[in-house]
Amino acid sequence: MEYRSLCASVASASDVTAAIFIVISRLLQKDAEQEYQMRSDIQYMRQELSNISMMDEFARYARLERKINKMTDKLKTHVKSRTAQLSKIKWVISIVFYVLQAALMVSLIWKYYSEPVTVLPSKWIAPLERLVAFPTGISGGVGITCWLVVCNKVVAIMLYPIS
Protein backbone atom coordinates (compact mmCIF):
# COMPACT_ATOMS: atom_id res chain seq x y z
CA MET A 1 0.00 0.00 0.00
CA GLU A 2 1.32 3.45 -0.89
CA TYR A 3 0.89 5.47 2.31
CA ARG A 4 2.80 8.54 1.22
CA SER A 5 0.37 9.13 -1.60
CA LEU A 6 -2.43 8.49 0.87
CA CYS A 7 -1.22 11.31 3.12
CA ALA A 8 -0.68 13.56 0.12
CA SER A 9 -4.21 12.98 -1.17
CA VAL A 10 -5.73 13.67 2.24
CA ALA A 11 -3.60 16.79 2.68
CA SER A 12 -4.26 18.17 -0.79
CA ALA A 13 -8.01 18.56 -0.22
CA SER A 14 -7.50 22.03 1.25
CA ASP A 15 -5.22 22.98 -1.65
CA VAL A 16 -7.89 21.89 -4.12
CA THR A 17 -10.48 23.91 -2.21
CA ALA A 18 -8.30 27.00 -2.47
CA ALA A 19 -7.71 26.45 -6.19
CA ILE A 20 -11.42 26.05 -6.92
CA PHE A 21 -12.20 29.14 -4.90
CA ILE A 22 -9.66 31.12 -6.97
CA VAL A 23 -11.25 29.89 -10.22
CA ILE A 24 -14.72 30.88 -9.03
CA SER A 25 -13.40 34.24 -7.89
CA ARG A 26 -12.03 34.87 -11.35
CA LEU A 27 -15.39 33.97 -12.86
CA LEU A 28 -16.94 36.56 -10.58
CA GLN A 29 -14.24 39.06 -11.52
CA LYS A 30 -16.73 40.86 -13.74
CA ASP A 31 -18.47 42.09 -10.60
CA ALA A 32 -15.16 43.40 -9.29
CA GLU A 33 -14.59 45.23 -12.57
CA GLN A 34 -18.04 46.83 -12.25
CA GLU A 35 -17.14 47.89 -8.73
CA TYR A 36 -13.88 49.37 -9.96
CA GLN A 37 -15.80 51.30 -12.63
CA MET A 38 -18.27 52.58 -10.02
CA ARG A 39 -15.43 53.65 -7.73
CA SER A 40 -13.69 55.52 -10.54
CA ASP A 41 -17.00 57.22 -11.49
CA ILE A 42 -17.53 58.27 -7.88
CA GLN A 43 -13.97 59.57 -7.70
CA TYR A 44 -14.47 61.54 -10.91
CA MET A 45 -17.77 63.01 -9.66
CA ARG A 46 -16.16 63.98 -6.34
CA GLN A 47 -13.37 65.71 -8.25
CA GLU A 48 -16.00 67.52 -10.31
CA LEU A 49 -17.93 68.38 -7.13
CA SER A 50 -14.83 69.97 -5.60
CA ASN A 51 -14.56 72.26 -8.64
CA ILE A 52 -18.16 73.51 -8.30
CA SER A 53 -18.87 76.43 -6.01
CA MET A 54 -21.69 75.55 -3.64
CA MET A 55 -22.76 79.18 -3.29
CA ASP A 56 -22.80 80.01 -7.00
CA GLU A 57 -24.26 76.80 -8.45
CA PHE A 58 -26.22 75.23 -5.58
CA ALA A 59 -28.68 73.29 -7.77
CA ARG A 60 -25.91 71.65 -9.83
CA TYR A 61 -23.88 71.00 -6.66
CA ALA A 62 -26.85 69.36 -4.88
CA ARG A 63 -27.74 67.25 -7.96
CA LEU A 64 -24.18 65.97 -8.26
CA GLU A 65 -23.98 65.31 -4.52
CA ARG A 66 -27.22 63.27 -4.66
CA LYS A 67 -25.86 61.37 -7.64
CA ILE A 68 -22.65 60.59 -5.72
CA ASN A 69 -24.66 59.41 -2.68
CA LYS A 70 -26.87 57.23 -4.87
CA MET A 71 -23.86 55.69 -6.65
CA THR A 72 -22.10 55.12 -3.29
CA ASP A 73 -25.17 53.33 -1.88
CA LYS A 74 -25.42 51.24 -5.04
CA LEU A 75 -21.73 50.34 -4.73
CA LYS A 76 -22.16 49.35 -1.06
CA THR A 77 -25.07 47.02 -1.83
CA HIS A 78 -23.18 45.58 -4.78
CA VAL A 79 -20.12 44.87 -2.60
CA LYS A 80 -22.27 43.33 0.14
CA SER A 81 -24.04 41.02 -2.28
CA ARG A 82 -20.79 39.96 -3.96
CA THR A 83 -19.13 39.32 -0.59
CA ALA A 84 -22.11 37.28 0.57
CA GLN A 85 -22.09 35.31 -2.67
CA LEU A 86 -18.36 34.58 -2.41
CA SER A 87 -18.60 33.50 1.22
CA LYS A 88 -21.54 31.22 0.40
CA ILE A 89 -19.61 29.62 -2.47
CA LYS A 90 -16.53 29.18 -0.28
CA TRP A 91 -18.65 27.60 2.45
CA VAL A 92 -20.29 25.13 0.02
CA ILE A 93 -16.96 24.15 -1.51
CA SER A 94 -15.42 23.63 1.92
CA ILE A 95 -18.32 21.44 3.03
CA VAL A 96 -18.11 19.37 -0.17
CA PHE A 97 -14.40 18.76 0.28
CA TYR A 98 -14.75 17.90 3.97
CA VAL A 99 -17.41 15.35 3.02
CA LEU A 100 -15.17 13.94 0.26
CA GLN A 101 -12.22 13.77 2.65
CA ALA A 102 -14.33 11.97 5.25
CA ALA A 103 -15.60 9.53 2.60
CA LEU A 104 -12.02 8.87 1.50
CA MET A 105 -10.92 8.18 5.06
CA VAL A 106 -13.85 5.90 5.79
CA SER A 107 -13.24 3.96 2.57
CA LEU A 108 -9.54 3.59 3.38
CA ILE A 109 -10.32 2.38 6.89
CA TRP A 110 -12.86 -0.05 5.46
CA LYS A 111 -10.50 -1.37 2.77
CA TYR A 112 -7.38 -1.71 4.96
CA TYR A 113 -9.17 -2.68 8.18
CA SER A 114 -7.10 -5.76 8.92
CA GLU A 115 -3.71 -4.70 7.51
CA PRO A 116 -1.21 -2.75 9.60
CA VAL A 117 0.44 0.20 7.91
CA THR A 118 3.73 -0.79 9.48
CA VAL A 119 4.89 -3.01 12.31
CA LEU A 120 7.06 -1.54 15.05
CA PRO A 121 8.73 -3.27 17.99
CA SER A 122 6.09 -3.69 20.71
CA LYS A 123 8.26 -1.94 23.32
CA TRP A 124 8.21 1.32 21.34
CA ILE A 125 4.48 1.77 21.72
CA ALA A 126 3.91 -0.36 24.83
CA PRO A 127 1.42 1.77 26.78
CA LEU A 128 -0.66 2.63 23.70
CA GLU A 129 -0.15 -0.59 21.76
CA ARG A 130 -3.83 -1.53 21.48
CA LEU A 131 -4.90 1.99 20.58
CA VAL A 132 -2.21 2.38 17.89
CA ALA A 133 -2.90 -1.08 16.47
CA PHE A 134 -6.66 -0.45 16.19
CA PRO A 135 -8.42 -1.91 14.16
CA THR A 136 -5.84 -4.54 13.12
CA GLY A 137 -5.21 -6.00 16.57
CA ILE A 138 -1.69 -7.04 15.50
CA SER A 139 0.86 -6.60 18.25
CA GLY A 140 3.22 -3.72 17.37
CA GLY A 141 1.21 -2.84 14.27
CA VAL A 142 0.10 0.68 13.36
CA GLY A 143 -3.51 0.63 12.18
CA ILE A 144 -4.86 2.73 9.33
CA THR A 145 -7.01 4.78 11.73
CA CYS A 146 -4.05 5.88 13.82
CA TRP A 147 -2.04 6.49 10.67
CA LEU A 148 -4.70 8.80 9.19
CA VAL A 149 -5.10 10.74 12.44
CA VAL A 150 -1.34 11.28 12.69
CA CYS A 151 -1.06 12.25 9.00
CA ASN A 152 -3.88 14.78 9.31
CA LYS A 153 -2.36 16.31 12.43
CA VAL A 154 1.11 16.57 10.87
CA VAL A 155 -0.29 18.18 7.72
CA ALA A 156 -2.39 20.61 9.78
CA ILE A 157 0.65 21.61 11.83
CA MET A 158 2.73 22.10 8.68
CA LEU A 159 0.01 24.14 6.94
CA TYR A 160 -0.77 26.33 9.98
CA PRO A 161 2.00 28.89 9.28
CA ILE A 162 0.82 29.20 5.68
CA SER A 163 -2.82 29.94 6.47
Side-chain angles (χ1 to χ4, degrees), residues 4-162:
R4 290 183 187 175
S5 65
L6 173 72
C7 284
S9 67
V10 170
S12 65
S14 61
D15 296 337
V16 173
T17 304
I20 289 177
F21 182 70
I22 289 170
V23 168
I24 290 174
S25 295
R26 287 187 181 154
L27 291 175
L28 298 173
Q29 195 74 26
K30 293 178 237 171
D31 292 339
E33 290 172 8
Q34 268 185 329
E35 289 172 18
Y36 177 76
Q37 183 62 40
M38 285 180 176
R39 282 188 175 98
S40 63
D41 290 347
I42 291 170
Q43 188 68 25
Y44 176 76
M45 287 189 284
R46 283 189 178 147
Q47 183 68 33
E48 189 177 328
L49 188 68
S50 67
N51 293 334
I52 298 173
S53 171
M54 187 174 164
M55 297 296 186
D56 297 338
E57 301 178 65
F58 179 75
R60 185 172 168 219
Y61 185 90
R63 221 177 306 126
L64 190 56
E65 194 171 42
R66 283 193 304 271
K67 195 174 179 182
I68 289 171
N69 291 341
K70 185 178 177 183
M71 180 90 65
T72 303
D73 290 342
K74 187 177 176 183
L75 177 64
K76 284 179 184 176
T77 58
H78 198 269
V79 167
K80 281 182 183 177
S81 68
R82 186 176 62 86
T83 304
Q85 185 181 21
L86 284 174
S87 64
K88 195 181 301 181
I89 289 170
K90 186 176 181 178
W91 181 78
V92 167
I93 289 172
S94 295
I95 294 295
V96 166
F97 276 103
Y98 281 127
V99 167
L100 288 174
Q101 184 180 14
L104 174 68
M105 287 185 187
V106 167
S107 68
L108 287 170
I109 291 170
W110 186 271
K111 185 174 181 178
Y112 300 108
Y113 186 82
S114 60
E115 294 180 39
V117 175
T118 187
V119 178
L120 302 171
S122 298
K123 292 179 182 177
W124 288 9
I125 52 175
L128 302 172
E129 186 174 1
R130 284 187 158 182
L131 181 66
V132 172
F134 179 79
T136 64
I138 297 173
S139 179
V142 177
I144 187 73
T145 309
C146 180
W147 183 262
L148 288 174
V149 168
V150 170
C151 282
N152 275 335
K153 191 61 179 174
V154 167
V155 168
I157 289 170
M158 290 173 63
L159 290 179
Y160 180 74
I162 296 171

